[in-house]
Amino acid sequence: MKVKIKKRIKQIQQGEIPKGYKRTESGIVPLDWEIHTLSEHLTESRIPGTNGAVAKKLTVKLWNKGVFEKQEIHKGSESTTYYKRKSGQLIYSKLDFLNCAFGIIPEQLDGYESTQDMPCFDIKDIDPHYLLTYVTQRNFYTHFGMIADGGRKARRVGPEDMLSFPIVCPHLAEQQKIAEILSTQDKLIELNQRKIEELKKLKKYYLSKMFPQNGSNVPEIRFKGFTEPWEQRRLGECFDERTERSADGELIAVTINLGVVKASELNRHDNSSDDKSNYKVVRKNDIAYNSMRMWQGASGYSLYDGILSPAYTVAIPMENINSIFFSYLFKQTDMIHEFQINSQGLTSDTWNLKFPSFSLIKVKVPKIEEQQQIGAYFKNLDRIITLHRSKLKELKKQKKSLIQLLLTGIVRVKT
């Protein structure tokens, strides 16, 4: 970041007004920017709709997730008034204003309908995407939403209140440039999200093909050089239970989506016991699972030495057993079902899979060399997915910074 921009940010943080800027009710902005009310740019649209007839309806997702068709078939009534909506209009939910339920209607939803609970506006003399970005900033929709709501929690904001809210307006050409920059960042984010979804689908596909299915003793897809059928074994022939207890060591957690992780890496409240003397020891390459959530996939191999809540079970791999391979085997749909039917308890809230029951479950297992290759393949695939998730997180962070700089005029764009 340029020195002059850092200086400008520091000045604003200290309450000073940098040269070329002014103080307004919406904060410190460039001298040539204006403060308008939304009523100068929005006109509520009320084109009569079908009312009692079956019609395609719109819904606005929370947290700026966009506008979509309502999936359920909805039939109006004589007492309900519906309005036709047009592409390019701004729409929001009165009830969920404080949950950031805003969107611009896309072309494919032109002609769809909504009620007065989702007001719709024609847009003029302002870039639609600049407008949407502005109103979906937390300091806008929470601050002005709470003002309109009178401080209550009803969260209902009507069109009259909405149109009275202020908006900071650069010249139209600058709005368009800001929208273009943010749109480019959105495309990078979308591409990365799409890549992650493709990789997850690829992983799911290979998980169904590289493990035997439907009673077979060989998988559909194998690495070159492996032809022998997989052997059936009980899990007790593959793992011993680790029963060591200790209060010393790093606290470890087992999750459904991330497997075994350090508890400190989770954004969770620490509800572990102060007295950890009965906590279970876990070692690198052990398989750890949540005894009450194994039927939901809460298991994984450990990369760490540490300690676990007594609610977990720790399994030590025997000779010629690759724990990474088994960690992926345990995520198979058939295996999850086996863990479910072998869990003890009257209801799902009390189902519990202790090691004695776990040890009796039958599985198909290849030679150690094939285990190692399969485990390494999926581990590498997860590594790539993690890298893309990290990149996605960084791209979203960059967008947030861009919005903060561009929508305040701290950074000006060339037009």
Side-chain angles (χ1 to χ4, degrees):
M1 189 180 291
K2 293 182 179 179
V3 175
K4 64 178 182 180
I5 295 174
K6 289 183 179 180
K7 180 182 177 182
R8 193 177 297 154
I9 293 171
K10 187 175 181 180
Q11 284 179 300
I12 292 173
Q13 287 174 341
Q14 293 174 344
E16 301 175 18
I17 302 176
K19 184 180 179 181
Y21 288 75
K22 62 185 177 183
R23 189 184 300 279
T24 73
E25 61 180 309
S26 297
I28 296 172
V29 299
L31 284 171
D32 59 328
W33 287 22
E34 298 178 350
I35 308 298
H36 297 169
T37 59
L38 285 173
S39 61
E40 297 175 63
H41 301 287
L42 299 178
T43 304
E44 189 178 2
S45 174
R46 291 197 176 189
I47 303 170
T50 57
N51 288 7
V54 174
K56 293 182 176 179
K57 310 299 180 187
L58 293 175
T59 185
V60 186
K61 295 291 181 73
L62 306 185
W63 312 118
N64 192 23
K65 294 292 179 64
V67 183
F68 297 88
E69 178 183 0
K70 266 194 170 183
Q71 294 302 308
E72 68 270 20
I73 297 175
H74 186 83
K75 184 176 181 179
S77 66
E78 295 297 333
S79 61
T80 306
T81 303
Y82 289 91
Y83 301 96
K84 288 185 179 179
R85 306 313 190 184
K86 297 184 293 183
S87 61
Q89 290 179 325
L90 176 74
I91 188 171
Y92 79 94
S93 169
K94 287 198 294 188
L95 188 61
D96 285 306
F97 189 94
L98 295 182
N99 291 324
C100 195
F102 301 88
I104 300 291
I105 298 173
E107 288 185 8
Q108 64 268 28
L109 299 183
D110 186 82
Y112 279 53
E113 299 182 6
S114 70
T115 65
Q116 294 181 71
D117 285 333
M118 286 194 291
C120 211
F121 303 89
D122 292 316
I123 301 170
K124 64 178 181 180
D125 301 328
I126 192 169
D127 184 87
H129 298 288
Y130 173 85
L131 169 67
L132 182 62
T133 301
Y134 194 93
V135 300
T136 52
Q137 297 312 297
R138 182 173 178 80
N139 60 352
F140 176 88
Y141 69 82
T142 55
H143 176 69
F144 292 109
M146 287 305 291
I147 289 173
D149 195 41
R152 293 175 290 108
K153 296 183 179 180
R155 298 175 179 259
R156 187 179 293 274
V157 176
E160 302 80 8
D161 291 317
M162 172 75 166
L163 292 173
S164 69
F165 297 158
I167 183 169
V168 177
C169 291
H171 295 299
L172 184 59
E174 192 166 358
Q175 294 175 30
Q176 292 168 337
K177 187 65 178 178
I178 290 170
E180 180 186 331
I181 292 169
L182 296 176
S183 177
T184 299
Q185 190 72 9
D186 281 337
K187 287 176 183 175
L188 291 173
I189 290 171
E190 185 182 349
L191 285 171
N192 209 261
Q193 287 174 326
R194 195 179 302 158
K195 183 65 176 177
I196 291 170
E197 290 306 312
E198 288 172 355
L199 286 167
K200 286 166 65 178
K201 286 180 182 177
L202 183 69
K203 178 183 173 181
K204 185 177 180 180
Y205 173 79
Y206 279 112
L207 280 171
S208 69
K209 299 296 182 181
M210 295 179 72
F211 293 88
Q213 305 291 320
N214 302 321
S216 176
N217 59 5
V218 293
E220 275 189 56
I221 296 176
R222 303 183 81 171
F223 287 105
K224 188 176 180 180
F226 297 106
T227 57
E228 293 184 38
W230 291 22
E231 297 178 0
Q232 181 170 277
R233 300 186 196 175
R234 294 186 185 277
L235 287 175
E237 300 174 64
C238 305
F239 295 93
D240 282 325
E241 184 177 13
R242 188 180 294 282
T243 57
E244 300 169 61
R245 308 278 174 155
S246 176
D248 301 321
E250 180 154 22
L251 190 61
I252 305 299
V254 182
T255 69
I256 293 173
N257 295 320
L258 301 175
V260 178
V261 296
K262 295 179 180 180
S264 60
E265 295 175 353
L266 296 174
N267 186 24
R268 293 180 184 173
H269 174 70
D270 182 4
N271 58 2
S272 61
S273 172
D274 291 333
D275 178 10
K276 295 182 172 60
S277 58
N278 197 39
Y279 271 44
K280 294 183 177 180
V281 172
V282 61
R283 304 290 183 198
K284 291 178 182 177
N285 293 320
D286 285 349
I287 290 282
Y289 69 85
N290 186 328
S291 304
M292 296 187 70
R293 292 287 178 264
M294 188 57 159
W295 60 276
Q296 292 178 317
S299 66
Y301 70 95
S302 182
L303 292 169
Y304 321 102
D305 291 338
I307 56 174
L308 288 160
S309 161
Y312 296 118
T313 297
V314 182
I316 311 168
M318 294 183 180
E319 187 178 359
N320 291 327
I321 293 299
N322 182 272
S323 59
I324 300 176
F325 164 83
F326 274 86
S327 71
Y328 290 104
L329 173 64
F330 290 168
K331 298 292 186 179
Q332 292 287 297
T333 302
D334 288 349
M335 284 304 308
I336 296 292
H337 179 65
E338 283 295 320
F339 296 141
Q340 179 180 331
I341 62 177
N342 283 278
S343 294
Q344 307 297 312
L346 296 177
T347 66
S348 59
D349 289 336
T350 60
W351 287 345
N352 204 317
L353 184 68
K354 296 295 187 181
F355 189 82
S357 297
F358 170 86
S359 67
L360 297 176
I361 296 172
K362 296 177 181 179
V363 293
K364 299 284 178 58
V365 185
K367 300 292 186 184
I368 183 63
E369 294 81 10
E370 192 170 4
Q371 291 178 44
Q372 290 168 338
Q373 284 215 32
I374 293 172
Y377 173 80
F378 285 108
K379 183 179 178 181
N380 185 58
L381 196 54
D382 275 341
R383 181 185 65 82
I384 296 170
I385 292 172
T386 299
L387 286 173
H388 278 282
R389 282 176 173 156
S390 297
K391 184 179 178 181
L392 178 62
K393 187 177 179 180
E394 183 59 30
L395 287 170
K396 288 181 175 180
K397 184 179 177 181
Q398 289 172 5
K399 182 186 175 184
K400 186 176 180 180
S401 296
L402 280 171
I403 288 173
Q404 290 173 341
L405 295 171
L406 295 176
L407 265 65
T408 56
I410 291 173
V411 170
R412 303 296 298 272
V413 296
K414 293 181 180 180
T415 57

